[in-house]
Amino acid sequence: MRVVIAEDSGLLRQALTGLLSEHGVDVVAAVGDGESLLDALATHDADACVVDVRMPPGFTDEGVRAALVIRKRWPDVGVLLLSQYVEERYAAELFTGGARGLGYLLKDTVTDAADFLDALRRVAAGGTALDPDVVAQLLVRTRHRSPIERLSPRERDVLDQMAQGRSNLGIATALGITTGAVEKHVTSIFTKLDLDPADGHRRVQAVLTYLGERP
């Protein structure tokens, strides 16, 4: 198994490299940021990568951003994410496209080398490895998902125009689309927000839902 490690901590990067090498894993590259990770995968033939969620330069979601690129460019490369905390927003975004060949483990729970290696091998083989705490957080997020999140970007644009008090004609003019397209988007918005057709105030209810969820 050929693996790329992306971890900004030099000590942890060295420790992971040593651990994997001791167990017969070929670490083809060990880097400290997301951009270098992508460069390494473009250079080396890897089966999987171990990726820290937070890396330079911003220490926010660089690992997840890199993982999303990897899923598109190299769909057969497994991605095992490591994080200090459950970053449910980033995890949910990553797993939206499917869980095949994906893993998400908390660093504090990776205390057994055999379990870690088993998770990495599963991910490399196209399986899934999820920390129980990550699963719990994702379930909570799904359960309490805002109905606004069901809308497409264009439907959100239309709803935003509705919230500004524009008519369908005004929305069409502002967005550069036909009134027929606006009507279809409005109907879809009502459906996705579970607004009762018998309610004669669905437009108002949709706007109130939008304003209530908007940060």
Side-chain angles (χ1 to χ4, degrees):
M1 181 169 57
R2 299 172 302 279
V3 172
V4 174
I5 297 173
E7 164 61 55
D8 67 285
S9 168
L11 287 176
L12 183 53
R13 189 165 64 242
Q14 184 177 4
L16 286 171
T17 301
L19 172 65
L20 296 180
S21 298
E22 288 176 6
H23 289 81
V25 176
D26 183 12
V27 179
V28 295
V31 300
D33 59 78
E35 184 175 347
S36 298
L37 166 62
L38 298 179
D39 289 341
L41 287 174
T43 303
H44 301 281
D45 183 17
D47 301 301
C49 51
V50 179
V51 184
D52 188 11
V53 168
R54 297 188 175 191
M55 292 188 291
F59 293 96
T60 54
D61 62 347
E62 289 78 10
V64 176
R65 295 292 145 215
L68 290 170
V69 174
I70 293 168
R71 301 290 283 174
K72 292 180 179 180
R73 292 186 187 175
W74 303 283
D76 293 330
V77 175
V79 179
L80 179 58
L81 288 165
L82 295 180
S83 179
Q84 194 65 40
Y85 310 101
V86 180
E87 309 275 5
E88 68 268 16
R89 177 164 65 90
Y90 301 139
E93 181 177 359
L94 183 60
F95 281 90
T96 295
R100 184 182 182 279
L102 278 176
Y104 194 124
L105 301 179
L106 297 181
K107 290 181 179 180
D108 289 345
T109 65
V110 183
T111 57
D112 186 273
D115 289 343
F116 175 71
L117 288 165
D118 178 65
L120 182 57
R121 290 192 177 101
R122 271 187 285 138
V123 168
T128 304
L130 282 174
D131 188 284
D133 286 343
V134 175
V135 174
Q137 291 286 353
L138 289 176
L139 288 174
V140 169
R141 179 178 175 83
T142 301
R143 194 176 300 123
H144 297 288
R145 186 184 181 191
S146 165
I148 296 298
E149 295 184 31
R150 304 170 189 167
L151 305 182
S152 69
R154 176 56 82 183
E155 288 164 352
R156 291 195 187 199
D157 290 340
V158 170
L159 185 51
D160 184 72
Q161 295 294 318
M162 288 168 59
Q164 296 178 44
R166 289 193 170 92
S167 64
N168 284 1
L169 178 58
I171 295 172
T173 302
L175 299 181
I177 57 179
T178 66
T179 54
V182 172
E183 290 170 1
K184 290 181 180 180
H185 287 312
V186 170
T187 299
S188 179
I189 289 169
F190 292 160
T191 300
K192 290 182 179 180
L193 297 185
D194 298 323
L195 299 178
D196 190 346
D199 188 345
H201 304 285
R202 287 193 295 173
R203 198 177 186 95
V204 174
Q205 292 297 325
V207 169
L208 290 176
T209 300
Y210 173 65
L211 295 176
E213 295 292 343
R214 191 171 59 180

